[in-house]
Every structure is written in C-alpha cells, then in structure tokens.
Amino acid sequence: LPKTGDVAEKEAEKPEPVTIRLPKNLLMPRYATINASSEIDWVYFNLSQGKAVDIKDPTSLEWDLAFRRGKVITNGGATNKFGKGAALNLGEMPFHDVLKVQRDGYVEDSRRKTESLNKELDSWYKYNFLTHKLTARNNIYALKSAKGKFAKIQFLSFYCANDETGCIKLRYVYQSNGTNGFVNES
C-alpha cells in the first residue's frame, strides 16, 4: 500500500461487470414485508393484491399464504379444503433463473397435532444455535394460490427495521393469467 499522500504506481484491477441477460418480457418481482410477530394470530397475505388482508373466515379464497412468526402455510389441503394452495421447494438457485414452474407435484398443507403446516415451507430459514438468529435460505419456492394460479417466492429476512423479530420479508412474482411461466406472453 502507498503511504499517505503517495500515489499507487498501478491502479488496482477492477473486475469486469457481470452482465445478466434476462428476457425483456420478464415479470418483475414484487417485495413485501409481513409483520408476523404475533405468536397467536395468523397474518393472511393475498399474492395478487400484494398485501396482508383481513380475513374473518379462513375458508375464504381471498388469501394465499398465512404467516405466524416463522411459520408459513398455504390456503389448501388441511388448512382449507376449498383452497388450491400448495407449495414446492425448488432448492437454492438465482431468483431470476426460474422462468417457469411445474404444474403438478405441489405439496398441500397437512395436519400436525393441532395445527396445519406445509412441509415444503416449514424450513425456509436456518437457525443459528449460537446467536439464536434466523437466516433465510436462498431457496426459491413455487406456489399455487388459493385459486390455483402460480407464483414463485423467495424469503429474504425475518427481522423488522428495528431488528425485532417477526417481520418476514420476501420477493415474489405472481402470474395472474393462470400460466405457469413468469414472462409476459403479449
């Protein structure tokens, strides 16, 4: 390193910027933060509206995912026999690489003791036993909404802006036209 005030003989080499070529008609992701800090109440989220919704009747089809602390369920299976909600863990991969998801093979919610769970979404985070912190995995999840439409989702964090726990941050793409691809077809 040069001394203070001296000029380095050779500038440090800068790495070439990485160019990612994405389809021009790619649907852009939406971001949401859901305050799921209650240990008792579920927070219901509607993918098409991109927000939490007030649900009085859980058998409604007006919600797609529900959150309570680190738990996430879909609107289908044991949670709601009228909903088509289900999930599939696609594993760790770049979010924008998922241009299309499969149509079948999704896992519905099942019953465990007194509550529902979706085993595909059950471990969306890693728990550090030393720090007691949750870290979101880099996995991408394919989803079916309550009405059977497709989405892809990635969990980003479990912490609120003030570092309190229970704010689940995620990014997702919801395909409103019913296809299983995440590009505009027009």
Side-chain angles (χ1 to χ4, degrees):
L1 291 174
K3 294 179 183 174
T4 304
D6 289 346
V7 177
E9 290 181 27
K10 186 178 179 183
E11 279 192 46
E13 290 185 30
K14 296 178 184 174
E16 288 293 319
V18 176
T19 303
I20 299 172
R21 301 211 189 280
L22 298 172
K24 291 181 181 177
N25 57 347
L26 186 68
L27 293 173
M28 297 312 296
R30 298 168 83 177
Y31 293 82
T33 301
I34 298 98
N35 184 344
S37 57
S38 173
E39 294 185 22
I40 300 166
D41 299 320
W42 288 97
V43 177
Y44 298 95
F45 188 80
N46 182 297
L47 291 166
S48 66
Q49 294 178 26
K51 65 180 185 177
V53 289
D54 187 26
I55 299 295
K56 303 289 185 224
D57 179 7
T59 63
S60 162
L61 297 181
E62 299 308 311
W63 64 277
D64 301 303
L65 294 170
F67 303 88
R68 188 178 73 209
R69 301 290 296 163
K71 296 178 181 171
V72 184
I73 56 174
T74 65
N75 190 345
T79 299
N80 181 6
K81 66 181 179 179
F82 303 110
K84 296 179 182 174
L88 185 62
N89 185 345
L90 301 177
E92 189 173 321
M93 62 183 63
F95 186 76
H96 292 298
D97 282 359
V98 181
L99 300 178
K100 191 174 192 177
V101 294
Q102 63 195 60
R103 290 191 164 278
D104 301 314
Y106 289 78
V107 176
E108 294 181 335
D109 292 2
S110 59
R111 185 65 72 191
R112 179 173 60 187
K113 297 184 183 177
T114 60
E115 63 183 18
S116 295
L117 72 97
N118 188 297
K119 70 177 187 169
E120 295 292 295
L121 300 172
D122 204 32
S123 59
W124 64 267
Y125 57 84
K126 295 179 264 186
Y127 179 73
N128 184 318
F129 288 96
L130 297 175
T131 63
H132 303 290
K133 296 272 186 183
L134 301 181
T135 305
R137 296 182 188 277
N138 290 324
N139 295 20
I140 309 301
Y141 301 86
L143 297 175
K144 272 190 179 179
S145 73
K147 296 177 182 174
K149 297 199 176 179
F150 295 94
K152 65 177 178 175
I153 187 172
Q154 182 179 36
F155 297 95
L156 303 173
S157 175
F158 182 67
Y159 296 93
C160 305
N162 61 1
D163 289 332
E164 290 292 321
T165 59
C167 291
I168 298 177
K169 295 176 187 168
L170 52 93
R171 69 175 162 176
Y172 71 96
V173 175
Y174 173 77
Q175 181 53 280
S176 61
N177 70 11
T179 66
N180 59 331
F182 302 109
V183 293
N184 282 321
E185 310 237 340
S186 51

